[in-house]
Amino acid sequence: MRWSPLARSECRKVVTSKGTWILTVFIVLWGFRPTYAGWDAVGRNLTVGYVQIGVSLFLPVGALLLSYQSLIGERTTGSLKFLLGLPLTRTQVLWAKVTGRTLGIGAAIVVATFVLAVIGLLNHGMFDMLPFVGTLLATLVFVSVLVAIGICISTVTHRTVTAATTIFGYVLVTLFWSQIVTTIYTAVTGVPVDPYDAPASGPLFLALRLTPDGAYNVLTNWFLGVGNSTELFHIVYTKLAPGVSVNAFVVEAAFGGPGPWYLHPVGSILVLLVWLAVPLGLARRVFTRGDAI
Amino acid sequence: MTDVDTAINVDGLTKQYGDVRVVESLNLTVKQGETYGFLGPNGAGKSTTIGLLLDYLRPTSGTMRVLGRDPRTEVVEVHERVGILPDRYGLYTDRSARQHVALVVETKGGSDDPKALLERVGLGDAVDQNAGTFSAGMEQRLALAMALVGEPELLILDEPFSGLDPHGVRLVREIVAEEAERGAAIFFSSHVLGQVELVCDRIGILHNGRLVAEGTLRELRDGAEVVADATMEDIFVELTDARVDEGGDKR
């Protein structure tokens, strides 16, 4: 493929960046969280849970920070003129950037996952391979989604400060997504939402899992077999434990069963794919139309 | 003249930003194997024209053919046969000169030796040096090495003498002569009028987005109402000064 040298170059740039390895260290240090709740929830698969914990907090911010300058930075410094002078279409330039950065950040995440796996193996013994592989694959898809979002922001904005502000806005919205959703839900339906005793509303639970972060947690909780929720695995387990009250939205707790079909965890794959396709499509549309510099 | 005979063929090219026409109804032809100097005062529209030829920018109206192809719809086919030295570019400060050239070689699917190309532009001692440590002149030499990858049929050089010391200027002039000797067409913009005079077969002068004069040095001299032994600088000043009042400043 003609664009593969550029993709390799992008990958090398990410892999040789200090930020990438700081992200890796943060994921490992934050992820390794041996708790009784975690052990009670998934036993030896607590090791897999470490990956979910570390990735959920640090990967979104880290991957976006490692991607948002990829195009606007080159436009600002003028190096984009060299890239656009290569025998590549603008779509191929964009594709090479997404692929290269995904592979670079993905490689760092694989390292973090395997470090956590070794730590978990030594501490708790052998874990199940199915949830481990499933979580690793979901994490890599999550990486590609975040890179696509970062590069989309980098493409559609014209100033670095605007791109950085947009990233900050995205992080804030996803961080407070459940509050945003419940506020809107209450305003529209007039039904107050108590997270300790959430209403059995399909649309409410569907909206909660529409962010990439929420979809990732739903998917990995499914692999871990703890329950259907956008919360971290040990919180889901605690919520479903008898006699415990926690402010978490868990499908089984609200519906007393699996809930409507569209809340099945498999749907989260579709959510992630939409988050991959829409930013890429938007970035391509903007980058291939009009002036590129 | 057919597409086969022309390296660049521009017809009625216009680029407008808001109400400002940066390039206006430009007609231009550069023949195969020709060295064409594209001159003009600051803001005349030279870099914009080059940006349009390379598909960095999209025209408001008009048509272009580069090596017989439309750079907008056939950018891959055009760029694999064209060597590009842009103006106001930036290098990757965390990569070596070799890595810069290698990226172009690999993308073009060529077999050029990056070291040999860097030696040709006088960077033989800095092949593995980080481009972030380069002086302006070294950066320009590296950019030229990248443009030379794959023995292009057409070299588009935007201000190739920029940032170069007299040795560098001479080197660029020699390389332009060598490439022309090889049969490549060369289209370059420059402010260094003395060098243009030395290397160009034909010269076009752009002013306020319009081509105000075009021809050999002799033809320009004849048309500019200057003395018989006038230099390129005399001709340039005469042609562009005479038209200052005809329009406002443009990019």
Side-chain angles (χ1 to χ4, degrees):
Chain A
M1 285 170 289
R2 195 180 275 276
W3 52 268
S4 60
L6 178 57
R8 277 201 304 275
S9 165
E10 288 290 316
C11 180
R12 192 165 50 234
K13 183 185 281 188
V14 171
V15 169
T16 55
S17 155
K18 280 182 194 161
T20 305
W21 299 104
I22 290 171
L23 170 67
T24 308
V25 170
F26 276 18
I27 287 174
V28 171
L29 292 181
W30 184 262
F32 180 62
R33 226 153 245 272
T35 59
Y36 288 114
W39 177 262
D40 291 343
V42 292
R44 288 178 174 177
N45 288 338
L46 183 55
T47 301
V48 182
Y50 293 155
V51 178
Q52 187 200 57
I53 293 171
V55 163
S56 292
L57 184 66
F58 285 111
L59 183 61
V61 177
L64 289 171
L65 288 178
L66 288 167
S67 328
Y68 87 98
Q69 288 228 25
S70 62
L71 231 136
I72 199 162
E74 300 226 26
R75 194 178 275 150
T76 307
T77 62
S79 55
L80 186 60
K81 289 182 178 176
F82 284 118
L83 289 195
L84 294 174
L86 296 172
L88 298 172
T89 63
R90 293 187 192 178
T91 303
Q92 287 173 324
V93 169
L94 208 58
W95 183 240
K97 281 192 168 283
V98 172
T99 307
R101 299 228 166 198
T102 299
L103 288 174
I105 300 171
I109 296 305
V110 168
V111 169
T113 302
F114 278 93
V115 170
L116 283 169
V118 170
I119 293 171
L121 194 67
L122 295 174
N123 281 280
H124 315 303
M126 191 58 200
F127 45 83
D128 293 335
M129 284 313 290
L130 201 60
F132 178 76
V133 172
T135 299
L136 180 57
L137 291 176
T139 306
L140 292 176
V141 173
F142 193 26
V143 168
S144 67
V145 166
L146 293 164
V147 170
I149 293 170
I151 287 181
C152 177
I153 291 170
S154 192
T155 307
V156 301
T157 53
H158 294 285
R159 295 168 61 208
T160 308
V161 68
T162 314
T165 307
T166 310
I167 295 289
F168 184 64
Y170 169 86
V171 171
L172 274 186
V173 167
T174 53
L175 198 61
F176 293 104
W177 185 243
S178 62
Q179 286 89 335
I180 293 168
V181 167
T182 53
T183 303
I184 293 171
Y185 180 81
T186 302
V188 172
T189 64
V191 178
V193 178
D194 177 8
Y196 287 93
D197 186 18
S201 165
L204 171 68
F205 274 81
L206 179 64
L208 285 168
R209 61 191 56 206
L210 291 182
T211 61
D213 315 45
Y216 172 76
N217 279 357
V218 168
L219 203 54
T220 47
N221 283 334
W222 184 45
F223 294 137
L224 284 163
V226 288
N228 189 351
S229 173
T230 58
E231 303 287 346
L232 293 175
F233 74 100
H234 52 91
I235 297 172
V236 179
Y237 172 79
T238 308
K239 175 83 177 182
L240 293 175
V244 182
S245 184
V246 180
N247 60 337
F249 295 93
V250 178
V251 169
E252 288 85 348
F255 291 87
W261 63 268
Y262 53 81
L263 293 182
H264 192 282
V266 167
S268 294
I269 297 173
L270 183 65
V271 172
L272 287 172
L273 292 179
V274 168
W275 274 103
L276 179 65
V278 172
L280 283 181
L282 180 62
R284 181 180 179 274
R285 186 181 170 86
V286 171
F287 193 50
T288 56
R289 286 185 172 199
D291 300 340
I293 55 171
Chain B
M1 194 176 291
T2 65
D3 277 347
V4 178
D5 305 321
T6 60
I8 297 173
N9 194 355
V10 168
D11 186 19
L13 190 67
T14 296
K15 178 64 179 176
Q16 188 166 338
Y17 293 103
D19 295 332
V20 182
R21 287 194 172 184
V22 183
V23 177
E24 191 167 356
S25 305
L26 181 66
N27 297 315
L28 185 75
T29 302
V30 178
K31 289 175 275 190
Q32 294 277 18
E34 183 177 38
T35 301
Y36 189 99
F38 195 47
L39 309 185
N42 291 330
K46 303 186 298 294
S47 291
T48 301
T49 303
I50 289 176
L52 293 165
L53 291 172
L54 299 175
D55 194 44
Y56 295 167
L57 305 171
R58 297 274 163 81
T60 306
S61 61
T63 58
M64 297 168 290
R65 307 292 285 178
V66 176
L67 298 172
R69 293 176 182 269
D70 182 347
R72 188 170 171 182
T73 56
E74 300 170 285
V75 68
V76 173
E77 292 78 5
V78 170
H79 284 193
E80 64 188 1
R81 297 163 63 198
V82 175
I84 299 162
L85 193 164
D87 184 31
R88 283 180 290 176
Y89 58 83
L91 296 170
Y92 297 108
T93 53
D94 57 347
R95 294 183 210 177
S96 68
R98 187 197 298 272
Q99 286 173 320
H100 277 84
V101 178
L103 175 63
V104 185
V105 173
E106 289 169 19
T107 308
K108 283 193 166 181
S111 56
D112 304 61
D113 176 10
K115 190 168 184 283
L117 282 169
L118 289 164
E119 282 170 349
R120 188 176 172 199
V121 299
L123 287 178
D125 295 335
V127 173
D128 292 312
Q129 193 175 323
N130 202 313
T133 65
F134 278 13
S135 66
M138 291 169 82
E139 286 183 355
Q140 194 71 347
R141 287 167 185 251
L142 171 53
L144 181 60
M146 292 163 77
L148 294 172
V149 169
E151 297 197 338
E153 294 167 51
L154 167 65
L155 274 167
I156 296 182
L157 312 174
D158 198 355
E159 301 289 353
F161 302 111
S162 175
L164 293 173
D165 60 20
H167 295 290
V169 168
R170 175 176 288 185
L171 178 87
V172 170
R173 206 176 62 222
E174 287 170 359
I175 286 176
V176 166
E178 287 165 14
E179 292 297 300
E181 181 68 25
R182 180 174 63 76
I186 296 150
F187 180 81
F188 74 89
S189 75
S190 179
H191 286 108
V192 188
L193 304 176
Q195 302 302 326
V196 173
E197 193 174 345
L198 288 173
V199 298
C200 289
D201 300 321
R202 275 199 312 145
I203 295 158
I205 297 181
L206 195 69
H207 187 50
N208 285 335
R210 293 182 178 194
L211 196 66
V212 295
E214 189 183 43
T216 62
L217 185 59
R218 176 185 289 269
E219 287 166 347
L220 290 179
R221 196 176 278 142
D222 293 344
E225 297 176 6
V226 290
V227 293
D229 61 347
T231 63
M232 189 61 232
E233 186 177 314
D234 297 330
I235 299 167
F236 179 84
V237 170
E238 170 63 25
L239 285 170
T240 52
D241 262 6
R243 289 167 174 84
V244 161
D245 295 333
E246 292 175 13
D249 280 348
K250 294 187 180 180
R251 285 173 64 184

